Amino acid sequence: MQQVKVSPKFQVVIPKPVRESMGIRPGQRLQVVPYGDRIELVPMRTIGEMRGFLAGMDPRFEREPDREL
């Protein structure tokens, strides 16, 4: 597990292995989601990038229950 430090301007640097594995690019937007006692950063994708991401998904997929905020 990697750690980051919050700067005096409340900025953090996403470690390079995480950026590379998630395909995060400079200037890309992330959604910031507070969840309990943690913060989740969710990369926002364009419609073009989302094309085909459900291909081959089992149609009997059961979705997880929604998280409570």
Side-chain angles (χ1 to χ4, degrees):
M1 184 177 300
Q2 306 218 4
Q3 295 182 358
V4 297
K5 184 176 178 181
V6 179
S7 77
K9 292 184 178 183
F10 296 96
Q11 297 171 329
V12 296
V13 174
I14 300 170
K16 185 175 181 179
V18 175
R19 293 190 315 259
E20 290 175 345
S21 70
M22 298 293 298
I24 297 172
R25 301 173 313 277
Q28 182 176 0
R29 294 190 175 270
L30 304 173
Q31 290 179 323
V32 179
V33 182
Y35 181 64
D37 62 345
R38 68 178 188 238
I39 300 167
E40 295 183 5
L41 300 175
V42 182
M44 297 180 69
R45 307 281 186 208
T46 65
I47 294 296
E49 291 173 317
M50 299 298 287
R51 182 181 175 118
F53 86 101
L54 294 177
M57 188 174 111
D58 184 350
R60 296 167 293 177
F61 175 78
E62 288 190 34
R63 100 175 241 229
E64 295 179 5
D66 292 337
R67 295 179 179 174
E68 293 188 27
L69 299 176

